[in-house]
Amino acid sequence: DLSTTVAGVHLDNVFFNASGVWCQHEEELKALLESGSGSLITKSATFEHREGNPSPRYLPLPGGVGSINSMGLPNEGYEYYLNYAKQFDYTQAKPLFISLSGLSLADNVKMVTAFVEADLPCILEVNFSCPNVPGKPQLGYDIDAMDAALATLAPLIKKPFGIKLPPYFDIAHFDQVAAVVNKYDNLAYVTCINSVGNGLAIDLDTETALIKPKDGFGGLGGLMVLQTALANVNAFYRRLPNKQVIGVGGVVSGKEAFLHILAGASAVQIGTQLKEEGPAMFDRIKKELQEIMEKKGYKSVNDFRGKVKTL
Ligand code: DHB
């Protein structure tokens, strides 16, 4: 049994796309709906449509270690995703998550207000961690600004909602962020992690950065971020006893998904591997996770969620 519950809604299985991958346009969202995923989340929306950064802006890295991207928040503008959410068939099995990534608190307020007024059964996830818009530092690394944003947004949203966090690398930061998150009762879950921001991938032969935007700097994803992702999932699982964690980062097979759940994840999102393999990946990864669980004698993900042992 791979089913789970996030923010009070049922998912037939723990897997869905990481926001940003396979979810900008309706055709991609349709493919996710038709896939083996347990849910789906839309591309982070800004108030206005954005083209994003110049290409190349995403590349898989040699050796299967992961990917680098500096997309720059290309998206159709929030009204597109609001219309999608309005016509979404909520009687089918998969719940819909909507990612919002306003370039200012005022934009987040306007977008959230529009969704609240539409009164739809989708779940809002506010993204505090896009590393790729020049001149816009991510809120996730400004803990006071994040607190101030949540103080405005949480009462507006009223219903359970989530936030997407960047990776943290210091125990003091885990403590500080958790203290803020714990202040907001309807903040039901955190999604950990967004990409490891501002890596630089360089080609040896041409001595050139691999992607074009920002002198080649971009967010890292895929297998190379697995242990950072597991640490963030587990750090917040331990510090947010009344909330949930969605794990994302470094999942390429059932094994990494199992580890995310063992670290405390209630659901597992997949970015780089989905981009590389396409939505057929969900059936493979479900089968692999199921096989690991059967070998270990676990019947449901609740049997081992958060049960990682320490020495
Ligand atoms: C983009 C990247 C992110 O990591 C994110 O959270 C939102 C947007 C992007 O570059 O498009």
Side-chain angles (χ1 to χ4, degrees):
D1 179 7
L2 299 183
S3 73
T4 189
T5 301
V6 176
V9 302
H10 174 87
L11 281 68
D12 275 348
N13 71 76
V14 293
F15 294 109
F16 57 128
N17 63 304
S19 179
V21 181
W22 226 282
C23 60
Q24 185 172 343
H25 300 103
E26 287 201 36
E27 307 87 87
E28 294 167 293
L29 294 161
K30 182 162 180 282
L32 289 177
L33 267 182
E34 289 166 358
S35 78
S37 79
S39 184
L40 70 167
I41 183 165
T42 53
K43 170 71 184 173
S44 283
T46 52
F47 191 72
E48 307 275 7
H49 165 269
R50 286 173 60 88
E51 283 299 324
N53 293 335
S55 293
R57 58 189 189 178
Y58 164 91
L59 277 177
L61 296 174
V65 296
S67 65
I68 186 165
N69 88 83
S70 182
M71 303 300 289
L73 224 28
N75 76 95
E76 304 309 301
Y78 87 97
E79 283 176 331
Y80 181 93
Y81 304 101
L82 178 57
N83 286 332
Y84 180 78
K86 282 179 178 167
Q87 58 79 58
F88 190 80
D89 176 10
Y90 294 95
T91 65
Q92 55 77 44
K94 299 184 191 188
L96 174 64
F97 290 74
I98 298 283
S99 176
L100 299 176
S101 193
L103 297 179
S104 64
L105 179 55
D107 280 1
N108 273 331
V109 167
K110 284 191 281 184
M111 293 192 290
V112 160
T113 302
F115 272 91
V116 169
E117 279 171 3
D119 193 23
L120 302 165
C122 57
I123 299 152
L124 297 182
E125 180 171 298
V126 184
N127 181 4
F128 286 149
S129 48
C130 172
N132 298 336
V133 179
K136 291 278 174 193
Q138 40 174 310
L139 226 51
Y141 288 140
D142 183 341
I143 295 170
D144 290 337
M146 193 159 58
D147 193 4
L150 287 170
T152 300
L153 297 173
L156 269 181
I157 298 173
K158 291 186 203 79
K159 290 197 301 182
F161 74 105
I163 56 174
K164 177 81 167 270
L165 292 174
Y168 300 96
F169 304 92
D170 195 286
I171 301 298
H173 293 160
F174 292 137
D175 291 340
Q176 289 162 13
V177 173
V180 166
V181 169
N182 276 324
K183 286 168 68 175
Y184 301 96
D185 282 344
N186 62 322
L187 177 46
Y189 73 89
V190 296
T191 301
C192 303
I193 57 175
N194 209 314
S195 57
V196 173
N198 293 296
L200 175 62
I202 306 173
D203 180 66
L204 174 64
D205 293 334
T206 63
E207 304 177 6
T208 306
L210 287 190
I211 59 170
K212 178 161 178 168
K214 292 176 61 183
D215 297 329
F217 284 52
L220 306 175
L223 204 48
M224 72 170 117
V225 311
L226 174 64
Q227 286 75 18
T228 295
L230 294 175
N232 277 263
V233 168
N234 190 60
F236 287 110
Y237 179 78
R238 291 176 185 277
R239 285 168 178 75
L240 307 174
N242 304 316
K243 304 190 185 295
Q244 293 181 293
V245 183
I246 295 180
V248 49
V251 177
V252 299
S253 72
K255 176 187 161 189
E256 297 80 25
F258 184 90
L259 297 178
H260 264 275
I261 297 164
L262 203 61
S266 287
V268 177
Q269 296 177 345
I270 303 174
T272 299
Q273 191 61 32
L274 172 59
K275 176 97 177 159
E276 294 306 309
E277 191 175 339
M281 176 209 64
F282 287 110
D283 288 328
R284 170 180 68 80
I285 210 151
K286 279 194 299 187
K287 187 161 157 274
E288 290 170 352
L289 176 58
Q290 196 73 63
E291 280 166 8
I292 293 169
M293 286 168 58
E294 270 161 32
K295 255 196 205 131
K296 288 173 173 282
Y298 292 125
K299 291 198 167 58
S300 98
V301 294
N302 302 319
D303 294 347
F304 61 98
R305 174 178 302 115
K307 301 260 170 73
V308 58
K309 294 174 212 158
T310 57
L311 294 175

